[in-house]
Amino acid sequence: MLAVSEIHTYYGDSYILQGLSLTVEEGTAVALLGRNGMGKTTTIRSIMGFTPPRRGEIHFRGKDVTHWVPYRRARLGMALCPQGRRIFPSLSVEENLTMAARGRDRTKGELWDLGRIYERYPVLKDRARLKGTSLSGGEQQMLAVGRGLMTNPDLFVLDEPSEGLAPMLVRDIGKIIAELRETGLSILLVEQNITMALNVADRIYVISSGKIVYEGAPSELAANETVKRQYLGVAGGK
Amino acid sequence: MSMFFTNLVNGLAMGMVYFLTAAGMSIVMGVMGISNLAHGALYMVSAYVGWQVFKGFHGPFTLAVILGGLTGGLLGLLIERIFLRRLYKQPNEQVLLTYGFVYILTNLCLWIWQGWARMPFTAAALKPITIGGLRFASSRLLLIALGALFAVALWYLQDRTRLGARVRAGMDDKEMAQGMGVNMEMVSMLVFFIAAFVAGLSGVLGAQVMGINTEAGSTILVQALVVVIVGGVGSIQGALLGGLLIGLIDTFGKVLFPQLAMFTIYLAMVLILVVRPRGLLGRRG
């Protein structure tokens, strides 16, 4: 589905991603973990085309999209649920959902439309006419997820969806992502919340200083105290 | 009292011309961050084209308005596609380039239509309308009605359609809108065309109140800039409110304080900016 190979990405003069590679197989959920400032968001910006890499290649659905502008990548089937949610404040909840809605020929699963989103997340239906940013943090997160689903993507990229949410809401978001994975959607999840990532992902990558330093199954990482301590800031012991 | 109503109608009619000219300018600034100083020149060229169709070729007024609008729209699109799109996020260069077009278009008009001023050219064909014993120029009443119609149409386009939602989303967060799969360049192009088209319409309509001369482009540009600043960048409602307010202040100012006629609208602008630095209905941040 997505193959990122040896990308080098700069922010101005800062050399952020230093030869990063990762792959998301079709229908799987992949989590990218790492501490703040290690290049997680830059990885997403490279994949979405907001900050394209200077070297390396990004292949998506068999096409080399390395130099594509963001809207073409999105139309090929990428959706982003960005860090900080980035709900459009001048748009109502419903407009946020419909502004880029697309029905596409998907090989798997039912198409997402307004009716299905409202059925799944009824709170959005109740607030349809309100401005998107008037919702609570958890509701806005649901809206950001719904907005992405309305483009009927093949790959859903989620950047720290649990950020700033109360523990109960983090569990809800975790459940939503797990459900999406069940529908056959490919998922790239960037997280600081290790527990949630371990619960929903099929495969884990750990990033440090712009490079992948660990790759493995969730159960392997759960047992690997060294990696957890060194790269994820998790205290040892239980 | 009759003076009051006459001036009210005059002020509202002027206000509608200001609104129609400023609306596009305001949205283009909001969506594309482009300061198009040639916007007023498009108004002027279209006004001459309208005159040519109506007086020169004896065509119907509706055709004059439509062809005027299309002239503005297509000229605007050419300026955007060939020149402005290379100057994205370079405000100084945009100002220099578009002001250059003011000179080019002004001299082009001077060359084609010579320097003599045109009077409002539909006036002769229209009888004044009497309401409650007061006589009003029907062209002004028509202008107010048309302005109101366009206000509703533009508001609908901005707030009730998917294109409008994409335009607003682009103003909020252009990168995210693109990340959602919206081709913002296409949206911007369309917005620029519509803005220039409406400026063209407003040129032909405005000529029915103010006539046309080769200064018209620069004059209306300054008024439109005041309206955009007063109303706030990036909103149709702001342009409408600002346009009507400036039209009324200008008209009543000239009647009540003739010695201040040159700067009542600037005085109003300064006062409004002191109270609301983003303009009356300006967008956040």
Side-chain angles (χ1 to χ4, degrees):
Chain A
M1 179 61 55
L2 177 75
V4 175
S5 24
E6 285 286 313
I7 56 167
H8 298 259
T9 305
Y10 295 71
Y11 249 158
D13 284 335
S14 323
Y15 184 20
I16 311 282
L17 299 186
Q18 310 181 353
L20 178 139
S21 304
L22 62 82
T23 45
V24 180
E25 299 294 338
E26 189 168 344
T28 65
V30 168
L32 177 63
L33 302 177
R35 281 192 284 219
N36 264 339
M38 289 303 166
K40 296 194 300 292
T41 293
T42 306
T43 306
I44 286 193
R45 294 185 60 84
S46 301
I47 293 169
M48 292 303 299
F50 295 153
T51 312
R54 281 201 205 161
R55 278 178 288 143
E57 281 178 9
I58 298 172
H59 288 262
F60 176 54
R61 292 183 60 199
K63 293 204 166 71
D64 182 355
V65 298
T66 318
H67 303 291
W68 285 25
V69 291
Y71 87 87
R72 285 188 62 204
R73 302 178 191 219
R75 288 194 185 170
L76 192 60
M78 272 188 203
L80 172 67
C81 174
Q83 190 176 23
R85 312 186 246 286
R86 292 169 77 171
I87 298 301
F88 300 111
S90 323
L91 273 56
S92 68
V93 168
E94 187 155 316
E95 284 175 327
N96 265 287
L97 290 170
T98 55
M99 59 86 66
R102 284 186 294 279
R104 301 178 47 253
D105 305 319
R106 275 180 58 212
T107 41
K108 275 189 198 136
E110 223 179 310
L111 274 186
W112 289 97
D113 57 19
L114 208 52
R116 191 157 164 231
I117 295 283
Y118 282 165
E119 190 188 318
R120 223 41 185 287
Y121 315 117
V123 65
L124 298 181
K125 189 179 185 179
D126 300 337
R127 312 251 195 285
R129 303 233 158 256
L130 297 178
K131 292 276 181 236
T133 40
S134 70
L135 303 186
S136 73
E139 290 163 356
Q140 283 193 38
Q141 192 60 64
M142 239 175 254
L143 177 56
V145 170
R147 182 179 64 176
L149 291 177
M150 287 288 284
T151 67
N152 282 296
D154 295 306
L155 172 72
F156 202 3
V157 181
L158 297 112
D159 192 356
E160 307 221 4
S162 73
E163 192 189 32
L165 297 183
M168 210 179 74
L169 293 171
V170 172
R171 268 204 303 279
D172 287 351
I173 289 293
K175 232 167 69 189
I176 287 174
I177 297 169
E179 277 169 20
L180 292 176
R181 191 190 150 276
E182 292 304 311
T183 67
L185 187 62
S186 311
I187 290 170
L188 175 59
L189 171 68
V190 169
E191 258 305 334
Q192 294 226 50
N193 187 320
I194 300 167
T195 321
M196 178 197 177
L198 291 178
N199 279 334
V200 299
D202 300 295
R203 193 145 197 87
I204 307 267
Y205 288 91
V206 175
I207 184 174
S208 183
S209 303
K211 291 188 189 92
I212 296 296
V213 291
Y214 177 85
E215 181 192 345
S219 53
E220 291 164 26
L221 178 66
N224 192 329
E225 296 300 331
T226 324
V227 170
K228 283 204 281 185
R229 201 168 45 243
Q230 202 175 342
Y231 298 114
L232 301 174
V234 178
K238 169 81 181 82
Chain B
M1 207 54 192
S2 76
M3 272 304 279
F4 172 78
F5 281 110
T6 309
N7 285 314
L8 183 68
V9 167
N10 287 353
L12 288 177
M14 293 293 291
M16 285 303 186
V17 177
Y18 294 162
F19 154 64
L20 287 173
T21 315
M25 210 170 172
S26 177
I27 299 295
V28 163
M29 269 186 199
V31 181
M32 311 165 77
I34 283 181
S35 313
N36 177 18
L37 297 189
H39 202 70
L42 298 176
Y43 165 101
M44 175 183 62
V45 175
S46 305
Y48 276 115
V49 168
W51 180 89
Q52 188 66 47
V53 172
F54 189 79
K55 292 292 269 190
F57 305 141
H58 306 288
F61 185 63
T62 327
L63 186 68
V65 174
I66 292 169
L67 286 181
L70 283 177
T71 305
L74 293 176
L75 264 179
L77 203 58
L78 277 180
I79 294 176
E80 196 271 334
R81 281 290 90 185
I82 301 176
F83 300 96
L84 271 175
R85 73 190 188 105
R86 292 165 214 281
L87 300 177
Y88 178 61
K89 279 188 177 163
Q90 294 170 259
N92 294 338
E93 286 79 357
Q94 289 170 7
V95 164
L96 279 176
L97 174 92
T98 54
Y99 207 70
F101 275 105
V102 175
Y103 283 108
I104 294 171
L105 293 174
T106 302
N107 279 288
L108 203 67
C109 287
L110 197 60
W111 180 50
I112 300 176
W113 288 286
Q114 282 98 48
W116 51 281
R118 306 312 199 263
M119 300 299 282
F121 46 87
T122 50
L126 295 166
K127 287 198 180 70
I129 293 174
T130 309
I131 303 173
L134 297 171
R135 279 155 63 90
F136 296 105
S138 43
S139 59
R140 293 200 153 91
L141 293 176
L142 193 67
L143 190 52
I144 296 172
L146 280 175
L149 196 71
F150 273 108
V152 172
L154 289 174
W155 164 80
Y156 186 87
L157 189 63
Q158 175 192 254
D159 280 358
R160 288 286 178 273
T161 64
R162 192 146 110 145
L163 174 66
R166 289 176 167 186
V167 168
R168 281 176 288 133
M171 290 196 237
D172 286 340
D173 187 341
K174 190 170 179 177
E175 184 181 86
M176 191 59 215
Q178 285 168 318
M180 295 294 304
V182 176
N183 181 351
M184 279 309 293
E185 192 166 331
M186 194 62 105
V187 170
S188 296
M189 218 172 85
L190 209 56
V191 166
F192 204 91
F193 175 79
I194 294 172
F197 179 81
V198 176
L201 292 179
S202 111
V204 184
L205 295 175
Q208 309 320 313
V209 208
M210 294 182 269
I212 322 167
N213 58 60
T214 47
E215 297 288 304
S218 314
T219 313
I220 197 80
L221 170 70
V222 176
Q223 321 272 39
L225 279 172
V226 172
V227 169
V228 171
I229 293 167
V230 166
V233 172
S235 107
I236 296 292
Q237 293 91 320
L240 180 64
L241 186 62
L244 293 182
L245 207 60
I246 293 302
L248 289 171
I249 290 172
D250 194 21
T251 308
F252 280 100
K254 278 176 181 147
V255 176
L256 300 173
F257 315 104
Q259 65 276 32
L260 295 178
M262 290 305 283
F263 39 75
T264 41
I265 64 167
Y266 305 105
L267 208 61
M269 177 178 86
V270 169
L271 288 176
I272 287 166
L273 280 187
V274 168
V275 187
R276 294 193 59 103
R278 283 195 209 295
L280 294 171
L281 298 176
R283 299 169 55 85
R284 296 159 300 262

